[in-house]
Amino acid sequence: MFKIYEPFIINDRHEYIYQKAAKVAHLAKSRRKQGDEEADFQIETLQDLKENDYITLTLSKEYGGEEVSLYELLLAQERLAIGDGATALSIGWHLGVMMELNDEPIWDEDVYDKLAKEVSTEKKIVNRAASEPATGSPTRGGVPETKAVPTESGYKLTGRKTFTSMATLLDYYIVSAYVEDRDAVGWFLIDSSKEGIEVDYTWDTVGMRGTGSHDLVLNEVMLSSKNLVEMQGDKKGGPKGWLLHIPAVYLGIAIAARNDAIEFAKGFQPNSLDRPISEVSHIQDKIGEMELKLLQARNFMYSIAEQWDQYPERREILASSLGAVKTVATNTANDVVDLAMRIAGGRGLSKSYPFEQYYRDVRAGLHNPPMDDMVIQSMAEAAIKEL
């Protein structure tokens, strides 16, 4: 085990969660390249996640889950991402949804109970579908163009959603829509087998191809009123700790790049040298830079997670810190992968090595919420207001 991990595994429970993630990470890593080439989530990897009870980590113990803390979720997600970032990011949305619903019980009790039991016993998975071609990220405040039109028995939904991770493999979608009779945005829980649902295979990006984040198309999907599970304003507007799974994933990718770069440096000896490049000073400088950057970002992330878990009464004031963690971590991850590429040199661009995929995948973190400009502006406004 690389020493860089040791400070963040504090007790036996952490070790147990970490090893559970490590087992799945090993399996996911074997299909990482295939997922990248096919631009889709690997169904065999999803089966591994289910068989190893990874998808129930954030379920409460009442439903047979591990009821992990935020700190433990980050340990698991970071370790899984070392194996495959796309797998970790994708399943992280499901884990986050179930953690949020457990922490903020705003759904009808019967609806939530049914979903939680199906996740527990039938290993079903869920994700929110919020982004749209015209509105972009919902964090920017755009109103969904997806419309929920009232009918005699409920609603009829029509629209298109983008960036729907694991779109073809989800059992449930939680879809945002403009609810016409309420003049507000609502969220609908929709069974993926419902008539009128189609997945449009649009996912053709540079990075995170293995998430299979295709478009979800809704063609007059008929739903009962009970499928309307949330309305805008139901949820507290406070910080969402579970979103730290995003920086955990990208730091995991950076750690994978760091590990492979060191392994490469120790094993590569050009005929112009009498020793491997790991003993060359400028290579050691780059390795040292990677270590420093990772230690700073990871200590920051785990420190905030620990505060979130231990002092729930202080969570409201952690909002800016959560955003700052994401900004610091994703930018650090890009820096670390860039250093790994420099260590590998021209071979880093070869498809025979994993570095070029790390390079492509890690850049996606810059576009996950919250965006850098929003975080920095928010912090500036708070600082100005305080003085």
Side-chain angles (χ1 to χ4, degrees):
M1 179 181 292
F2 289 94
K3 187 177 180 181
I4 195 169
Y5 305 147
E6 292 176 2
F8 304 104
I9 298 176
I10 299 172
N11 53 46
D12 290 343
R13 162 86 171 176
H14 290 170
E15 183 68 29
Y16 165 72
I17 297 297
Y18 182 88
Q19 292 303 329
K20 180 185 284 285
K23 181 178 180 181
V24 184
H26 176 73
L27 298 169
K29 183 178 180 179
S30 68
R31 307 184 191 101
R32 183 174 64 199
K33 188 173 183 179
Q34 184 178 353
D36 184 64
E37 291 172 348
E38 297 177 359
D40 221 342
F41 196 92
Q42 299 301 293
I43 190 169
E44 297 87 356
T45 298
L46 179 58
Q47 192 61 35
D48 292 332
L49 291 164
K50 292 180 177 182
E51 289 178 357
N52 288 279
D53 292 324
Y54 194 89
I55 69 166
T56 56
L57 283 179
T58 55
L59 271 184
S60 68
K61 293 180 180 178
E62 175 188 355
Y63 290 102
E66 293 288 351
E67 202 169 337
V68 294
S69 65
L70 179 59
Y71 191 104
E72 291 164 348
L73 175 63
L74 303 189
L75 275 177
Q77 283 292 96
E78 184 185 68
R79 182 61 186 90
L80 180 56
I82 294 172
D84 181 27
T87 293
L89 187 66
S90 298
I91 203 63
W93 300 119
H94 160 85
L95 293 172
V97 166
M98 299 312 299
M99 177 177 270
E100 183 177 23
L101 292 177
N102 181 63
D103 292 346
E104 297 182 26
I106 62 171
W107 284 19
D108 179 90
E109 187 175 343
D110 291 341
V111 176
Y112 172 73
D113 181 67
K114 180 177 182 295
L115 175 62
K117 286 179 177 176
E118 289 184 356
V119 171
S120 176
T121 61
E122 301 176 41
K123 300 297 187 288
K124 293 193 174 183
I125 56 170
V126 60
N127 191 5
R128 290 186 182 271
S131 298
E132 295 187 352
T135 62
S137 171
T139 60
R140 297 287 186 182
V143 177
E145 292 191 338
T146 299
K147 296 291 192 297
V149 180
T151 64
E152 290 184 3
S153 58
Y155 291 93
K156 178 174 65 177
L157 261 66
T158 299
R160 176 183 286 265
K161 298 294 182 179
T162 56
F163 300 107
T164 311
S165 296
M166 294 195 293
T168 60
L169 299 175
L170 294 170
D171 298 292
Y172 287 103
Y173 308 101
I174 306 175
V175 177
S176 62
Y178 174 72
V179 185
E180 290 191 348
D181 60 333
R182 301 202 187 187
D183 189 26
V185 177
W187 294 82
F188 292 82
L189 179 65
I190 307 177
D191 191 308
S192 62
S193 64
K194 195 76 176 175
E195 186 176 351
I197 287 181
E198 175 188 354
V199 173
D200 188 4
Y201 287 75
T202 55
W203 193 240
D204 190 16
T205 61
V206 170
M208 281 294 185
R209 292 171 58 80
T211 62
S213 301
H214 305 292
D215 284 9
L216 174 67
V217 183
L218 303 108
N219 299 303
E220 299 187 344
V221 179
M222 305 302 294
L223 301 168
S224 75
S225 297
K226 201 165 187 177
N227 289 101
L228 179 55
V229 290
E230 299 173 20
M231 285 299 300
Q232 197 171 50
D234 287 349
K235 293 190 290 186
K236 293 186 298 183
K240 310 296 181 187
W242 66 269
L243 284 172
L244 286 189
H245 90 94
I246 298 171
V249 166
Y250 290 102
L251 287 176
I253 296 172
I255 291 169
R258 170 258 190 194
N259 294 348
D260 286 346
I262 294 174
E263 184 178 4
F264 174 84
K266 291 172 72 175
F268 181 59
Q269 180 178 325
N271 62 13
S272 58
L273 293 175
D274 59 358
R275 61 197 186 281
I277 64 170
S278 60
E279 298 180 27
V280 175
S281 61
H282 78 86
I283 296 296
Q284 291 183 345
D285 287 345
K286 291 178 176 60
I287 292 172
E289 283 187 64
M290 290 194 296
E291 297 297 274
L292 182 60
K293 288 175 180 292
L294 283 170
L295 283 171
Q296 288 174 325
R298 295 178 75 232
N299 269 288
F300 184 24
M301 180 178 74
Y302 282 108
S303 172
I304 297 302
E306 189 171 30
Q307 291 180 52
W308 178 274
D309 291 333
Q310 293 189 4
Y311 306 104
E313 72 279 3
R314 291 174 52 84
R315 288 178 180 177
E316 288 296 324
I317 66 174
L318 287 176
S320 62
S321 295
L322 295 176
V325 167
K326 188 270 174 179
T327 293
V328 169
T330 52
N331 281 277
T332 294
N334 274 270
D335 290 344
V336 170
V337 173
D338 182 70
L339 286 164
M341 292 283 283
R342 292 173 186 271
I343 291 170
R347 289 167 177 78
L349 300 173
S350 171
K351 290 286 186 180
S352 300
Y353 290 88
F355 299 107
E356 60 86 26
Q357 185 177 344
Y358 297 143
Y359 189 79
R360 290 182 288 108
D361 282 351
V362 81
R363 290 204 62 80
L366 303 177
H367 308 289
N368 284 132
M371 311 307 178
D372 288 1
D373 65 307
M374 295 179 67
V375 171
I376 293 169
Q377 182 179 358
S378 175
M379 295 182 73
E381 290 173 352
I384 293 168
K385 185 177 181 181
E386 286 175 1
L387 293 178

